[in-house]
Amino acid sequence: MSDPYNLAIVGGGPGGYVAAIRARQLGLRVLLIEREALGGICLNWGCIPTKALLHTAELWQSLKHMQSFGLNVGGGSGFDAKRMVARSRAVAARLNDGVEMLMKKNNIEVRFGSARLAGKGEIVIEAKNRNKQKGKQGGKEEVVKAEHILLATGARARELPSVPIDGKVVWGYRDAMVVEDFPKRLLVAGGGAIGLEFASYFAAFGVEVVVVEAAARILFHEDEEIANMLQSEMERRGGVKFLLGETIEGVARKKDGGVVVSLGGGEKVEVDRVLSAVGVVGNVEGLGLEEAGVVFDGDRGVIEVDGLLRTSVRGIYAIGDVAGAPMLAHKASHEGVVCVESIAGEVVEPLVRERIPSCVYTSPQVASVGMSAKAAEGEGCRVRVGRFPLMANGKAIALGEEAGMVKVVFDEASGAFLGASMVGSEVTEMVQGYGIALGLEATE
């Protein structure tokens, strides 16, 4: 067994690899352990490749409206789903290579394999074969010692018992990202961010999309007025149909290759494919948490941590998706920096999760930061609400993107800015200004 590392990090996603870089900058000896691919789900199968696909959908939608701008693009226009997918995968591969270069540049030791806690300050690594790591032997176990252990194992798609994913007629999000032959009709199970983004994507290319959501409305964690406006626009632009307050009781495969989906209300919906997008659950299995005495919630896949990301066991930390909501890449990266700086003895401020922006890349987009009016009122605040429709904004009119609204919330007594919610073109880029205002404790 080699000399102990100062820090061993399990998981090489946006939380883990950023934490590793910061740890090296602070002079710590670091080991990063990853079981699949550096960059995690976000870079390889989540945020980045989906945005590549969604941008393609936006371009296609714009192309169909070129004549309204006085542009004649000519006949013969069409799309190639195979090339769209290939570009998306190429973007992910390029960034994965970039993370590997960052690890080498910062002299971070990387091991590929599965890891589990094994006694105080010890981790067992089961090595994994990997094309880019020629000579690595799978199945061999190695024990390493570390003064501090950071768990950044991310999350995976939650699967409903009534909607078992088979990768053929019932897709998970990974399957949906590599579809090269679009179905005529698609049912999306889940009206959250992931489900709605895929609904927007497929609807843009003419797929008849039905979204089934158990809650009474879509985007349950966003402002209701904003969510309702998004729903109306998705119905208008892409013909997306929403079945809200409905549950899926079962999925039956037809002989012709289609699917019959039975809903809780008794209705049956016939489609070609089903996409399960009902949220994610943290990867806590197989880590040896229970044996180590780490307190966690297995149903949600969440490890209990304090403001400095410390678990119930001294010397063990958790960041990112396994440390709880919001399960976002930028939140994981920030937590990684806070955790490592705390370990290194730096003076740090715990992350204020309420100041983390939320972005949904539908068409149109939704973005928010801070509290909604309803949430603020629930905490006893008397609020002042400001609204501005994008149809009254010159830039939006010039771009032909008048659909949408900006909604801001203030405390009536002090004028303190409490939050903002937006729906419209590129609002995911505009939300950063409100994030800064919230951090600066700005007033009306």
Side-chain angles (χ1 to χ4, degrees):
M1 188 181 299
S2 62
D3 293 336
Y5 294 91
N6 298 123
L7 176 64
I9 302 171
V10 182
Y17 84 76
V18 169
I21 292 172
R22 185 64 184 131
R24 284 295 300 131
Q25 290 172 344
L26 293 170
L28 303 183
R29 183 176 179 233
V30 182
L31 172 65
L32 181 64
I33 307 162
E34 170 55 48
R35 70 178 181 181
E36 288 190 32
L38 291 174
I41 292 297
C42 173
L43 191 152
N44 294 283
W45 290 101
C47 329
I48 301 301
T50 56
K51 300 310 168 284
L53 293 173
L54 288 165
H55 180 60
T56 302
E58 289 174 5
L59 292 174
W60 177 245
Q61 290 290 78
S62 297
L63 187 64
K64 292 194 294 184
H65 296 96
M66 284 294 103
Q67 284 192 338
S68 65
F69 290 91
L71 301 175
N72 296 317
V73 296
S77 61
F79 60 87
D80 184 336
K82 187 174 182 179
R83 290 177 65 184
M84 286 156 48
V85 169
R87 178 181 179 274
S88 170
R89 301 313 309 150
V91 169
R94 176 178 173 181
L95 290 172
N96 175 264
D97 290 342
V99 175
E100 290 203 13
M101 289 181 62
L102 282 174
M103 297 302 98
K104 293 175 182 177
K105 179 181 178 181
N106 287 277
N107 296 315
I108 295 166
E109 189 175 346
V110 179
R111 306 275 181 88
F112 288 94
S114 300
R116 69 177 185 273
L117 302 172
K120 186 175 181 180
E122 291 186 353
I123 295 179
V124 175
I125 304 173
E126 183 180 341
K128 179 181 180 181
N129 273 320
R130 192 168 171 272
N131 291 335
K132 292 183 180 181
Q133 292 287 109
K134 293 180 180 179
K136 289 280 184 184
Q137 299 299 314
K140 287 187 177 181
E141 289 193 348
E142 175 189 6
V143 179
V144 297
K145 282 185 170 291
E147 297 173 52
H148 305 276
I149 298 170
L150 175 56
L151 304 175
T153 50
R156 65 186 183 281
R158 186 183 293 278
E159 190 170 349
L160 293 176
S162 60
V163 192
I165 297 170
D166 61 13
K168 297 178 181 178
V169 296
V170 181
W171 300 332
Y173 66 87
R174 288 197 185 197
D175 306 307
M177 290 176 59
V178 293
V179 171
E180 297 179 353
D181 186 15
F182 289 161
K184 183 178 179 181
R185 297 197 71 205
L186 172 69
L187 185 144
V188 177
I194 297 173
L196 295 179
E197 287 180 359
F198 276 113
S200 285
Y201 171 67
F202 284 104
F205 294 103
V207 177
E208 297 176 31
V209 179
V210 179
V211 175
V212 177
E213 169 56 49
R217 65 179 182 89
I218 62 172
L219 292 182
F220 195 75
H221 296 293
E222 296 289 345
D223 179 273
E224 185 170 2
E225 186 178 11
I226 295 295
N228 290 340
M229 185 173 284
L230 170 65
Q231 179 179 331
S232 296
E233 276 300 303
M234 289 183 69
E235 290 169 338
R236 185 185 69 83
R237 293 185 183 192
V240 179
K241 181 180 179 181
F242 291 87
L243 299 178
L244 305 178
E246 279 282 9
T247 57
I248 296 177
E249 299 300 310
V251 175
R253 289 146 183 82
K254 297 170 61 180
K255 290 183 179 180
D256 64 2
V259 188
V260 177
V261 181
S262 301
L263 304 180
E267 183 181 355
K268 293 184 183 296
V269 181
E270 292 191 20
V271 292
D272 300 307
R273 297 291 182 267
V274 174
L275 168 59
S276 179
V278 291
V280 298
V281 57
N283 295 317
V284 296
E285 299 81 6
L287 294 176
L289 297 176
E290 198 166 357
E291 296 82 354
V294 176
V295 176
F296 70 102
D297 182 337
D299 292 334
R300 295 187 300 131
V302 173
I303 299 170
E304 289 190 15
V305 295
D306 64 10
L308 298 178
L309 295 312
R310 298 174 295 198
T311 71
S312 57
V313 176
R314 185 179 178 86
I316 301 178
Y317 311 79
I319 63 171
D321 293 353
V322 290
M327 294 182 175
L328 302 169
H330 46 288
K331 173 256 196 184
S333 298
H334 191 91
E335 285 182 332
V337 172
V338 169
C339 182
V340 166
E341 290 183 348
S342 175
I343 289 171
E346 301 277 319
V347 177
V348 298
E349 289 289 334
L351 172 65
V352 181
R353 297 189 179 193
E354 292 74 21
R355 294 178 183 170
I356 300 173
S358 167
C359 297
V360 185
Y361 293 82
T362 44
S363 179
Q365 296 176 354
V366 169
S368 64
V369 67
M371 290 191 288
S372 66
K374 184 176 180 180
E377 289 169 346
E379 293 194 6
C381 292
R382 294 185 62 180
V383 300
R384 282 167 51 80
V385 177
R387 295 174 176 83
F388 192 91
L390 294 187
M391 67 174 63
N393 179 267
K395 178 69 178 293
I397 296 171
L399 295 177
E401 294 284 358
E402 301 102 311
M405 177 178 67
V406 176
K407 184 176 180 179
V408 288
V409 182
F410 301 94
D411 178 73
E412 186 176 72
S414 66
F417 173 57
L418 301 178
S421 299
M422 299 177 277
V423 57
S425 175
E426 296 301 315
V427 295
T428 57
E429 299 299 325
M430 292 189 276
V431 72
Q432 54 84 21
Y434 291 108
I436 294 170
L438 200 64
L440 292 174
E441 299 182 354
T443 64
E444 184 179 352

